[in-house]
Amino acid sequence: MDSSIRHDPNPESVRPDEPELDLYTIPSYSSWFAWNDIHETERQALKEFFEGSSISRTPKIYKEYRDFIINKYREDPTRRLTFTEIRKSLIGDVTLLHKVFLFLETWGLINFVAPPRPREGPDNDDRVRVEYGAPNGVRVVATPNSLRPLSAPVVKGKSGDNGVAENGVKLPPLASYSDVFGDLKRLRCGNCGDNCNSEYYEHSKDNFIVCVKCFKSRNFGENKSVDDFKLKDCGGNSAIYGAVWTEEETLLLLDSVLKHGDDWDLVAQNVKTKSKLDCITKLIELPFGESLIDSAKGRGNSSGPSMNINSAKPVLVPSSEHRENIINEDQGYDGTNENEQNGDSENQEPPLKKKCTTSTSDADSSLMKQVALISTMVGPQITAAAAEAAVAVLSDEMSCPREIFDGDQIDVTNGLLSPTLIYQPERAHNDEELEMKARSSPSESQETSQKKNDVPLPLRIRAAVATGLGAAAAHAKLLAEQEEREIEHLVATIIETQLKKLQSKIKHCEDAELLMEKEYAAIEELKEYILGERINILQRTFSVGISKLRELSSVQSKTGNLS
Amino acid sequence: MKPPASASWKAPLKFRMPTAENLVPIRLDIEVDGQRYKDSFTWNPYDPDSEVVMFAKRTVKDLKLAPGFIPQIVQSIQSQLADFRSYEGQDMYAGDKIVPIKLDLRVNHTVIRDQFLWDLNNFESDPEEFSRTLCKDLGIEDPEVGPAIAFAIREQLYEIAIQNVTSARENRINKKGRRGAEHFPLSKAGGAALDLMKLFNFRSSVVRKRKEWDYYKPILDLLSNEDVDALEAKEERSGR
């Protein structure tokens, strides 16, 4: 049973006069193993055999198992021995046998040089059925928001088609959908029956809608007058219908604006291919568009109401609120100053907003409001400083005296005068702004009280805008400085930590060096000691040897003598 | 080495599965409305009973069975659990007993036949581990085979354990009539136990004779689809 199997894996190393040696590799931690003995390790690991608890578990039996398994393995060390192979040949409880087998395997007494067990991973993956396409519960739809009537659900089985299948569930039209696209409900002109795409005129008294064309041609049937109609825009769709502007058109537009100022009819005529609305829209979109409009109007303002810093804010907010009630407008205004200035502000603001009476969805996040917000974020002193700076710059720009901003007192009549002066240029496009007339009365009543000031509104507004922005800028600068300081601080910390790290490393190296030196010294000592011993031994052998030699020689001489 | 005389007699233990984990093998074979549900699995008897209902519901849902299955499944499981528990309090004779376990089962395309010895006294035994090793060694890829083997082992062990209980009861009764009989014949109870005295004595070797090796090694067959169908049809006919 013991190494009765003789097969030599290394033919070269055999010397004929020596018994053939078997060369098997076992790990060094198993060097305790001996064929004819049972080591303590085995006793510990496989206690069952050594407790005498059962007739079927004795050390002898264990030894038999072990030897058999190891020999079986060594019949062919290159193949991996499996438990199943040996358990058929051994009598005994399979669980126990398995334990022995595992024990031997862990200690490398078997299967040490055998190829490792093939990994289960890739095999298992192959066994997994790979289904292509989305799982059965999910369907891939081409257009996620499509409200096409949904077909009956799911086909069982592998979904190879990722194509346009519909959900198995019929969804009700989503609220968000109707929100976004609801306005697209086609508005039909009451007169000609056309679809009203972007703008239409709505009668203020009853729900009569007239398309632009009909309105222009005054075709709205009986009992309705031109005054009653109000221009309405379809929510945010004007943006959707934005036209494409070529460079020449833009150039033309700018030229015409400079020439005609606020006269959008003329401007539109000049640009020819674009409607009034488009022109205005485009102009607003241009970065300097507003200033063009303003400058076209702001000339010739002489009177100067005061510019109160505090008023900047209230003016801003309400002015944006009243955006919808467009209003403003000229002649209707014999009302208070506030109304006028309010209307003025509306007027001077991008003219498009005059025509926009629908919700404030666009206008709400208007520039003014944002500026108001920004200026509220900083302290009053900053706002004051910013306002000062803004005003200074503005006055330089507009080349009008700074003093117009300084005055505190407002002359009511003066105030009245100036707005009317300003309104003159607007008369030109009165005929279009019918709706404003119509609504001037209602909007008057809606005015909230405003501060009076004579500063030409465009200037004022510009100043206010600039103030806000300046304030924000100052704030930003402060923040930036703070950030910088932080950064510096952090960088310093980093550098410090790095230095510390380096220092500790150096220290570590020094310690290691010290250790090395000590070891070296110890080794040197050892060397000397060994050398000493060697010398000792040699001395002793010599001393012995010499006497032997002497004997030999003496014997020889004796024998020599004798012979 | 002289085997101690008392080694062959053990104090009776409380009934339990002689495996590391005391799990109950459950077999289900239910037919409702023309649908037949056959299954076998192991159940942990320490799970609360509410688990049974949940399991039944989930199974019916997963396998898309008729809802009429649920009560039947629940009832079947519960009755088997009750059986198990009825044995639990009783004594089981677990002397030195090494029993042969036979495997002869077909799982999908794999047919396996095997025979090996199992020590009932070894409470560390783990059928799942054994079947795992077996599948790995034989390179069986079908993942359903392993659990099926483990289940078969458990079932047989369960049977034997039950027999042990009954035999212990008998023996107790007999003992009252027969004084002084300390040595319980090993061949009683199941009749499948091996005579350990014969096998493990001093003189004989634990290594089997070569000609017996083939009996104790696993035989694995892989069937083709037609064979599977044929076998299934035969089983159904004979099983009804």
Side-chain angles (χ1 to χ4, degrees):
Chain A
M1 181 87 65
D2 289 340
S3 319
S4 49
I5 301 152
R6 301 230 171 254
H7 98 253
D8 191 4
N10 296 6
E12 318 87 40
S13 66
V14 173
R15 274 172 279 169
D17 50 336
E18 283 187 11
E20 285 185 12
L21 296 175
D22 304 322
L23 230 74
Y24 298 105
T25 321
I26 61 172
S28 56
Y29 46 79
S30 303
S31 50
W32 47 261
F33 174 72
W35 279 111
N36 37 16
D37 195 14
I38 299 177
H39 192 259
E40 190 58 35
T41 319
E42 300 167 277
R43 282 178 199 270
Q44 286 292 323
L46 298 160
K47 289 200 185 75
E48 298 93 335
F49 290 102
F50 304 99
E51 284 163 355
S53 51
S54 157
I55 189 177
S56 61
R57 301 190 210 128
T58 61
K60 167 182 173 288
I61 290 173
Y62 162 69
K63 191 167 182 302
E64 278 195 70
Y65 287 158
R66 176 193 79 182
D67 296 345
F68 179 84
I69 296 175
I70 296 183
N71 281 327
K72 190 86 187 157
Y73 167 66
R74 291 184 178 183
E75 282 174 15
D76 182 6
T78 54
R79 65 101 175 75
R80 186 168 199 87
L81 184 66
T82 60
F83 172 65
T84 313
E85 276 184 54
I86 51 115
R87 67 113 158 132
K88 69 183 180 196
S89 332
L90 293 172
I91 301 175
D93 176 33
V94 286
T95 314
L96 197 58
L97 278 173
H98 193 54
K99 203 165 171 192
V100 175
F101 181 81
L102 282 176
F103 169 75
L104 293 173
E105 195 169 17
T106 0
W107 281 98
L109 292 164
I110 58 173
N111 284 342
F112 189 57
V113 286
R117 210 181 279 273
R119 285 287 105 212
E120 302 289 303
D123 283 347
N124 281 344
D125 290 346
D126 288 344
R127 300 302 148 225
V128 172
R129 218 166 32 125
V130 178
E131 284 194 12
Y132 293 99
N136 280 342
V138 176
R139 280 281 171 236
V140 180
V141 176
T143 54
N145 283 336
S146 137
L147 282 193
R148 279 178 285 165
L150 304 166
S151 58
V154 253
V155 180
K156 268 246 196 129
K158 297 209 182 104
S159 52
D161 58 329
N162 280 351
V164 185
E166 261 109 3
N167 288 331
V169 179
K170 197 175 172 89
L171 298 168
L174 299 171
S176 51
Y177 182 88
S178 29
D179 281 337
V180 172
F181 296 112
D183 298 322
L184 273 187
K185 57 189 189 308
R186 299 298 176 186
L187 302 161
R188 292 187 160 272
C189 166
N191 214 24
C192 58
D194 274 348
N195 280 340
C196 298
N197 284 335
S198 55
E199 39 178 6
Y200 55 95
Y201 286 87
E202 193 180 3
H203 200 266
S204 55
K205 292 193 186 90
D206 36 67
N207 253 349
F208 194 66
I209 294 177
V210 167
C211 68
V212 180
K213 283 201 291 273
C214 290
F215 186 79
K216 288 222 176 87
S217 48
R218 310 288 187 259
N219 255 1
F220 20 72
E222 56 281 13
N223 300 339
K224 295 185 180 62
S225 70
V226 178
D227 306 331
D228 294 335
F229 279 90
K230 182 178 56 145
L231 181 63
K232 264 205 165 148
D233 213 318
C234 291
N237 286 351
S238 53
I240 301 177
Y241 292 91
V244 177
W245 282 77
T246 66
E247 287 204 14
E248 295 98 353
E249 285 173 341
T250 324
L251 209 56
L252 268 177
L253 169 70
L254 291 172
D255 276 340
S256 352
V257 167
L258 280 172
K259 222 182 332 169
H260 306 288
D262 257 357
D263 195 346
W264 295 106
D265 267 340
L266 292 175
V267 170
Q269 271 176 23
N270 262 3
V271 180
K272 288 188 208 63
T273 48
K274 293 287 181 290
S275 74
K276 247 188 325 205
L277 195 61
D278 283 333
C279 293
I280 300 168
T281 326
K282 179 70 186 170
L283 198 63
I284 306 298
E285 285 169 10
L286 292 174
F288 46 83
E290 284 189 34
S291 58
L292 271 184
I293 303 170
D294 293 340
S295 60
K297 291 196 206 141
R299 296 180 207 122
N301 285 323
S302 51
S303 52
S306 74
M307 171 69 157
N308 231 341
I309 294 163
N310 292 333
S311 74
K313 295 189 198 154
V315 162
L316 296 178
V317 177
S319 58
S320 53
E321 278 165 13
H322 290 288
R323 194 88 355 134
E324 345 175 42
N325 324 333
I326 301 231
I327 7 50
N328 113 306
E329 240 3 58
D330 6 11
Q331 295 85 1
Y333 276 38
D334 297 327
T336 58
N337 233 356
E338 294 89 274
N339 298 344
E340 287 163 333
Q341 50 173 249
N342 217 1
D344 222 2
S345 72
E346 307 314 325
N347 209 8
Q348 302 310 327
E349 274 305 289
L352 175 62
K353 294 195 164 83
K354 279 192 244 166
K355 302 191 197 272
C356 190
T357 57
T358 47
S359 66
T360 50
S361 48
D362 303 45
D364 241 5
S365 52
S366 72
L367 190 59
M368 297 302 278
K369 213 167 194 184
Q370 283 170 350
V371 169
L373 277 170
I374 293 172
S375 47
T376 49
M377 285 193 241
V378 298
Q381 287 98 348
I382 304 174
T383 320
E388 290 257 347
V391 159
V393 170
L394 267 176
S395 9
D396 288 337
E397 232 185 73
M398 307 290 276
S399 48
C400 56
R402 249 198 99 147
E403 293 75 43
I404 63 172
F405 286 104
D406 290 341
D408 262 339
Q409 292 310 316
I410 306 160
D411 199 2
V412 178
T413 51
N414 218 0
L416 269 177
L417 208 55
S418 55
T420 43
L421 280 174
I422 298 163
Y423 297 145
Q424 292 304 335
E426 276 99 50
R427 255 168 246 274
H429 49 112
N430 264 356
D431 17 320
E432 284 139 47
E433 288 142 0
L434 301 154
E435 74 277 15
M436 301 184 209
K437 253 212 225 152
R439 294 174 64 94
S440 61
S441 10
S443 46
E444 261 183 60
S445 51
Q446 292 167 20
E447 296 301 328
T448 60
S449 64
Q450 288 298 309
K451 304 240 14 161
K452 326 172 192 190
N453 45 39
D454 297 345
V455 176
L457 271 166
L459 271 182
R460 200 159 19 102
I461 285 156
R462 294 197 67 210
V465 171
T467 307
L469 292 173
H475 195 64
K477 185 153 193 326
L478 279 174
L479 282 172
E481 276 174 24
Q482 197 181 5
E483 285 295 311
E484 247 191 71
R485 278 199 295 271
E486 277 259 354
I487 291 172
E488 278 174 24
H489 178 70
L490 286 171
V491 168
T493 325
I494 290 175
I495 293 176
E496 221 184 281
T497 350
Q498 290 279 42
L499 280 174
K500 279 200 204 145
K501 205 164 82 174
L502 281 171
Q503 273 174 5
S504 67
K505 279 194 187 164
I506 289 175
K507 185 158 189 313
H508 192 73
C509 288
E510 279 176 5
D511 287 341
E513 223 182 288
L514 209 62
L515 277 171
M516 291 294 287
E517 280 176 21
K518 286 201 185 142
E519 274 202 39
Y520 183 70
I523 289 178
E524 288 283 307
E525 262 190 53
L526 201 59
K527 207 161 122 183
E528 286 187 20
Y529 172 72
I530 290 177
L531 217 56
E533 285 232 5
R534 213 167 151 204
I535 292 174
N536 262 349
I537 291 174
L538 282 172
Q539 275 181 355
R540 271 195 243 144
T541 46
F542 281 148
S543 56
V544 169
I546 287 173
S547 57
K548 254 207 176 155
L549 269 174
R550 281 203 209 114
E551 272 186 33
L552 206 58
S553 53
S554 63
V555 165
Q556 266 185 356
S557 56
K558 280 195 192 135
T559 52
N561 282 343
L562 287 174
S563 67
Chain B
M1 194 172 358
K2 194 165 67 87
S6 59
S8 53
W9 183 84
K10 282 277 183 327
L13 300 171
K14 292 295 167 196
F15 174 82
R16 54 156 292 163
M17 290 285 289
T19 57
E21 291 171 25
N22 198 14
L23 301 173
V24 185
I26 305 257
R27 202 179 263 282
L28 294 177
D29 188 357
I30 304 173
E31 189 162 346
V32 167
D33 292 340
Q35 272 181 321
R36 189 152 180 230
Y37 170 58
K38 267 185 84 162
D39 201 358
S40 53
F41 48 86
T42 43
W43 189 268
N44 184 353
Y46 304 120
D47 270 347
D49 277 338
S50 54
E51 287 288 326
V52 179
V53 182
M54 277 181 59
F55 170 80
K57 286 196 182 142
R58 245 181 297 131
T59 311
V60 165
K61 194 169 87 159
D62 288 343
L63 299 176
K64 297 191 177 45
L65 303 171
F69 272 94
I70 300 183
Q72 296 229 16
I73 294 176
V74 170
Q75 192 200 26
S76 177
I77 297 179
Q78 279 175 345
S79 69
Q80 295 185 53
L81 279 178
D83 280 341
F84 180 80
R85 294 207 181 104
S86 70
Y87 289 115
E88 240 177 351
Q90 308 184 22
D91 295 335
M92 176 173 84
Y93 170 60
D96 256 356
K97 191 146 13 173
I98 298 191
V99 294
I101 304 269
K102 294 197 177 60
L103 291 180
D104 185 4
L105 45 112
R106 178 188 72 80
V107 180
N108 297 340
H109 293 261
T110 315
V111 170
I112 185 158
R113 275 190 299 273
D114 199 359
Q115 198 185 181
F116 45 86
L117 301 169
W118 200 278
D119 182 1
L120 290 181
N121 228 15
N122 186 356
F123 288 103
E124 288 175 4
S125 61
D126 190 0
E128 276 78 22
E129 194 190 340
F130 174 79
S131 90
R132 251 201 312 272
T133 316
L134 187 58
C135 290
K136 213 163 30 158
D137 288 346
L138 295 178
I140 297 175
E141 289 138 356
D142 191 347
E144 291 187 27
V145 177
I149 295 176
F151 180 79
I153 297 173
R154 267 191 201 276
E155 229 184 355
Q156 296 184 42
L157 291 176
Y158 185 43
E159 296 272 326
I160 295 170
I162 292 180
Q163 283 167 355
N164 275 347
V165 173
T166 48
S167 78
R169 228 184 294 142
E170 282 174 17
N171 285 336
R172 235 177 325 146
I173 296 170
N174 287 343
K175 192 174 166 187
K176 285 181 186 156
R178 272 190 315 175
R179 291 260 157 226
E182 262 199 24
H183 188 83
F184 291 91
L186 290 168
S187 51
K188 224 169 193 252
L194 301 175
D195 195 350
L196 295 178
M197 302 292 290
K198 210 173 13 168
L199 279 178
F200 288 105
N201 70 16
F202 197 35
R203 237 159 306 214
S204 68
S205 152
V206 182
V207 184
R208 274 199 194 104
K209 308 196 208 353
R210 256 175 213 264
K211 61 183 187 226
E212 285 185 13
W213 285 8
D214 287 335
Y215 291 123
Y216 286 93
K217 77 166 186 211
I219 301 172
L220 184 64
D221 272 334
L222 282 174
L223 304 176
S224 65
N225 282 340
E226 301 86 35
D227 292 336
V228 171
D229 293 335
L231 275 176
E232 272 183 2
K234 219 192 317 183
E235 277 167 20
E236 293 224 346
R237 268 182 271 125
S238 62
R240 294 306 170 91

